[in-house]
Amino acid sequence: MNWITFVWPMVTATCLTLALINLRIAMGDGRRAPHLMFSLAACAVAAVSVFELLLLRTKDLETYNVILRWAVVPIWVMVTAATGFIWSFFRTGRLSLACSAVGLNLLANVANIVSEVPVVRHAVALHQATTFGGVEFTVATIENGPWDMVEILSVVMAIAFMFDASLQMWRSGGRRRALVVGGSVIFFLLLSRGHAMLVENGMLEAPYFVSFCFIAVIIAMGMELGNDVLRATSLARELQSSQRRVDLAGQAVSLGFWEWNIVTGDIWANEAARKLFGVGKWETVNLDRFLSLVHEDDRSSVAQAIEESLQRGADYEMEYRVQSEDGCLRWISARGRLEMEQGRRPLAMRGVLLDVTENRSSESELHQLRGQLAHAGRVSTMGQLAAALAHELNQPLGAILRNAEAAEMFLSSPSPDMEEMKAIIRDIIRDNQRAGGVIDRLKSLLKRKEIEPRVIHVRELLEEVMALIRADAAARSVVLDWACADDVPDVLGDRVHLQQVLLNLLINAMDATTGATRGERRVTVGCQRSADGPSVTISVCDSGPGIPAPVLAKIFDPFFTTKSEGMGMGLCISKAIVEAHRGKLEVSTGPDGTCFAFSLPVAQSVADS
């Protein structure tokens, strides 16, 4: 076996091996075009190698011309594949130039094949030559046809495209890729075409080496593709390691991870997420299957939230219930972020899931506890007001009794004065209504109820509270002043809860003046529109000695009190009630007294928000 018989088949085998390897990569890779172009180019070079070996061994002129005519086909495929490889691999270059080069070459080759006489080139004579090692091979005298310049022009245009694409790649920072791939393709394409022209014009007596030049191009292209494959493999390992760390972190905090491929409709979920929904490890999940796992009362709202996220391109955020396998309901908090392509078409959504069932239960228990504490605070407050309310009830009840005794005396006379009797009855009715109003206010405060926002006239609220506290203030010899600005708007709140806040603050204020002399015991209540926003500020100020700094720091803490008989819950409950009304309770103190002030949003601003 001579070296020609050995070398050309080796080139063929090498190219086919590389073609199969990259074809397999292209079938599993997301970016398939460069690998497909490489496989096509490698197969074309393998075919060129076979045609070259046949030309070297053929001694019949007619057979030689047939082989020469069909040998241009794999060469055209090679040039086309190399052009397509650079276009898809570099993502640069003028596509019109590439298409023109490929089209001209195709036109010349088609014309050469379909015509009765070759129009590009053909052999007019054959003779035998000897190369090193004493190996004989066939050499042809070639005559160029009228379409030869078209084929040469197409090659020049292909080289121009490759040079332009490589230059753009170089300028964009991909210098190695531009030099290794673009430079080698241009160099070896020029080398193969130049060597072929020298052989065909009789200036060089040597075999065709087109396949050897092209295999150098294949190797250069394969090196860069191999580097990409190695980088992808390294990234895959890093991704797997990162995913394991994320899964471990998710298991530590009971986080579930999910990804919805919007194009295919499939949903991937890790083990923690599947456990939350009771889905098997290998069960296929899509959007319909996911919605079927959501509680029927939440299903429509979840579907609507997903649809709005897709339409607006915004993040997805939702809390809903799922029915677990044991029949218990679980609250799930879901967060997702949408991934969009350049055309603003949604591609995927990725997010996390968190089981918030315990948080929901805690919030419910806390809400109930706050209601119970508020109720206990009202009962405690009313216990302190019981004596004052009894005193206030005694007055209308006593008046009713006296009027009833007077009526009885008038009725015992022979001719009772009916006008006087009517006046007495009117007095009894008025005093009865007054006593009923006192009792109704007491029942409202003692009634356990949740916050029920209603439009409240601030002046009426203050009048009601002042009526409740006035007797207690008189018994303590406390001067009670209050004023309300004319421009104070209505607020939105729960009347009973706000009465409780004011009663707590007023009782504390009166307690603070206990050490002062009789004429210096003063409590002032005021209300006005806030200067820093659409809200109303109500203040309760006393003339006491002020609050020490250590006490002030803990003044709103639960169960903290400076009173021997106190529960330490009045201010804590008051603060919670004000904050539940979207307000804020603050305190300021000094040697001349202490002021508690809380703000409430006006009814219109709350409605707008």
Side-chain angles (χ1 to χ4, degrees):
M1 179 183 293
N2 57 57
W3 66 271
I4 291 179
T5 308
F6 172 75
V7 170
W8 266 264
M10 184 178 68
V11 171
T12 303
T14 302
C15 291
L16 290 176
T17 302
L18 293 173
L20 290 174
I21 292 173
N22 280 270
L23 182 61
R24 177 63 185 88
I25 295 174
M27 293 174 63
D29 186 33
R31 187 182 172 192
R32 297 184 174 92
H35 292 281
L36 286 175
M37 290 295 104
F38 180 88
S39 298
L40 186 61
C43 290
V45 174
V48 170
S49 177
V50 172
F51 276 103
E52 283 183 348
L53 183 59
L54 292 176
L55 290 174
L56 292 175
R57 293 303 186 189
T58 300
K59 296 181 180 180
D60 179 66
L61 181 60
E62 184 178 353
T63 304
Y64 193 98
N65 277 321
V66 171
I67 297 172
L68 187 63
R69 175 181 290 196
W70 286 99
V72 297
V73 174
I75 294 177
W76 173 81
V77 173
M78 169 59 206
V79 175
T80 301
T83 304
F85 176 85
I86 288 181
W87 168 255
S88 60
F89 195 53
F90 285 6
R91 306 274 184 175
T92 58
R94 292 178 173 84
L95 184 59
S96 58
L97 191 59
C99 293
S100 299
V102 172
L104 281 177
N105 202 328
L106 177 63
L107 182 63
N109 289 331
V110 170
N112 188 62
I113 291 173
V114 299
S115 64
E116 296 181 0
V117 179
V119 295
V120 176
R121 66 181 64 86
H122 64 280
V124 294
L126 300 177
H127 67 275
Q128 297 295 309
T130 303
T131 185
F132 57 89
V135 179
E136 291 187 354
F137 63 94
T138 300
V139 177
T141 301
I142 301 296
E143 183 176 293
N144 294 324
W147 285 77
D148 181 64
M149 292 304 299
V150 176
E151 193 241 3
I152 293 175
L153 178 61
S154 70
V155 174
V156 171
M157 294 179 69
I159 293 174
F161 163 76
M162 296 172 186
F163 179 80
D164 176 66
S166 300
L167 184 61
Q168 293 184 39
M169 173 60 67
W170 179 281
R171 290 173 176 173
S172 64
R175 297 189 174 186
R176 170 186 166 82
R177 184 162 293 183
L179 186 62
V180 173
V181 177
S184 62
V185 171
I186 294 172
F187 174 77
F188 287 108
L189 189 59
L190 287 172
L191 181 62
S192 65
R193 190 68 185 106
H195 178 267
M197 292 178 66
L198 292 176
V199 171
E200 291 170 356
N201 292 327
M203 301 176 64
L204 181 65
E205 192 172 84
Y208 282 110
F209 285 111
V210 175
S211 59
F212 288 84
C213 293
F214 281 176
I215 197 174
V217 173
I218 293 296
I219 291 173
M221 293 160 58
M223 285 176 58
E224 285 303 305
L225 282 179
N227 288 336
D228 277 5
V229 172
L230 290 176
R231 282 193 293 268
T233 304
S234 176
L235 289 174
R237 285 196 297 266
E238 292 178 5
L239 181 61
Q240 290 177 355
S241 177
S242 176
Q243 184 173 351
R244 285 192 293 269
R245 289 194 294 268
V246 169
D247 286 341
L248 183 61
Q251 292 175 6
V253 295
S254 300
L255 272 180
F257 298 96
W258 56 272
E259 179 178 344
W260 176 30
N261 189 325
I262 301 175
V263 179
T264 64
D266 295 333
I267 297 177
W268 169 88
N270 69 345
E271 184 178 354
R274 288 178 177 270
K275 284 183 178 180
L276 289 177
F277 284 88
V279 177
K281 184 176 182 181
W282 305 110
E283 181 179 350
T284 302
V285 181
N286 53 26
L287 183 60
D288 293 337
R289 173 58 175 154
F290 160 71
L291 290 176
S292 69
L293 297 170
V294 177
H295 193 276
E296 58 182 358
D297 293 341
D298 299 335
R299 198 170 296 159
S300 59
S301 58
V302 171
Q304 183 179 359
I306 294 174
E307 184 64 26
E308 289 178 357
S309 176
L310 295 177
Q311 291 178 356
R312 295 180 296 138
D315 291 348
Y316 162 72
E317 183 174 344
M318 192 67 185
E319 286 192 2
Y320 49 84
R321 291 164 291 178
V322 297
Q323 193 88 27
S324 60
E325 295 179 353
D326 56 3
C328 298
L329 285 178
R330 290 186 174 275
W331 277 97
I332 304 297
S333 177
R335 302 289 187 275
R337 175 153 295 179
L338 197 62
E339 178 183 331
M340 311 284 287
E341 69 173 359
Q342 293 181 353
R344 302 302 296 169
R345 184 170 69 98
L347 295 178
M349 183 183 288
R350 300 178 180 87
V352 295
L353 301 171
L354 181 63
D355 187 350
V356 294
T357 306
E358 293 184 3
N359 293 348
R360 281 277 185 165
S361 300
S362 300
E363 288 178 4
S364 178
E365 293 175 0
L366 182 61
H367 190 64
Q368 295 176 3
L369 181 60
R370 187 176 67 182
Q372 294 171 359
L373 288 175
H375 173 67
R378 288 194 292 270
V379 173
S380 175
T381 300
M382 292 309 300
Q384 300 177 44
L385 291 173
L389 291 174
H391 180 272
E392 190 169 340
L393 283 173
N394 282 334
Q395 197 278 332
L397 290 177
I400 291 172
L401 178 60
R402 288 190 294 272
N403 282 319
E405 291 173 345
E408 184 180 14
M409 183 180 65
F410 279 116
L411 289 173
S412 62
S413 63
S415 56
D417 187 348
M418 299 308 295
E419 292 300 325
E420 188 67 28
M421 287 296 298
K422 289 180 181 179
I424 291 174
I425 292 173
R426 284 194 297 270
D427 289 343
I428 291 174
I429 293 174
R430 185 178 62 253
D431 291 332
N432 180 271
Q433 291 174 344
R434 180 182 171 190
V438 173
I439 294 172
D440 288 341
R441 286 196 294 270
L442 178 63
K443 287 171 62 178
S444 297
L445 282 174
L446 289 174
K447 182 180 178 181
R448 179 182 301 186
K449 58 187 293 189
E450 303 298 332
I451 292 179
E452 299 177 357
R454 296 288 188 274
V455 175
I456 298 175
H457 301 291
V458 180
R459 181 180 292 275
E460 291 181 2
L461 176 68
L462 293 180
E463 289 176 348
E464 292 171 358
V465 175
M466 300 308 288
L468 283 171
I469 204 71
R470 188 173 292 111
D472 190 18
R476 297 175 183 234
S477 300
V478 175
V479 179
L480 199 60
D481 294 332
W482 74 282
C484 188
D486 295 334
D487 63 342
V488 171
D490 296 338
V491 298
L492 193 67
D494 188 289
R495 182 179 298 274
V496 175
H497 283 81
L498 293 178
Q499 284 177 350
Q500 178 186 349
V501 172
L502 283 169
L503 285 173
N504 281 334
L505 296 180
L506 284 167
I507 292 172
N508 288 342
M510 289 190 296
D511 290 342
T513 63
T514 302
T517 60
R518 183 177 296 271
E520 295 178 353
R521 299 175 187 173
R522 181 177 296 276
V523 173
T524 305
V525 180
C527 69
Q528 59 185 0
R529 181 188 288 268
S530 302
D532 56 349
S535 59
V536 174
T537 299
I538 301 176
S539 61
V540 178
C541 303
D542 61 65
S543 58
I547 303 175
V551 176
L552 188 64
K554 303 177 182 179
I555 195 70
F556 293 112
D557 291 350
F559 306 109
F560 176 79
T561 181
T562 57
K563 305 174 185 178
S564 58
E565 71 282 2
M567 295 177 59
M569 294 302 298
L571 287 176
C572 176
I573 294 173
S574 298
K575 184 173 183 291
I577 291 174
V578 171
E579 290 177 350
H581 283 76
R582 299 172 62 180
K584 187 176 182 181
L585 177 60
E586 297 177 323
V587 58
S588 59
T589 186
D592 297 330
T594 302
C595 270
F596 284 87
F598 62 93
S599 59
L600 297 172
V602 300
Q604 185 60 38
S605 67
V606 174
D608 293 342
S609 60

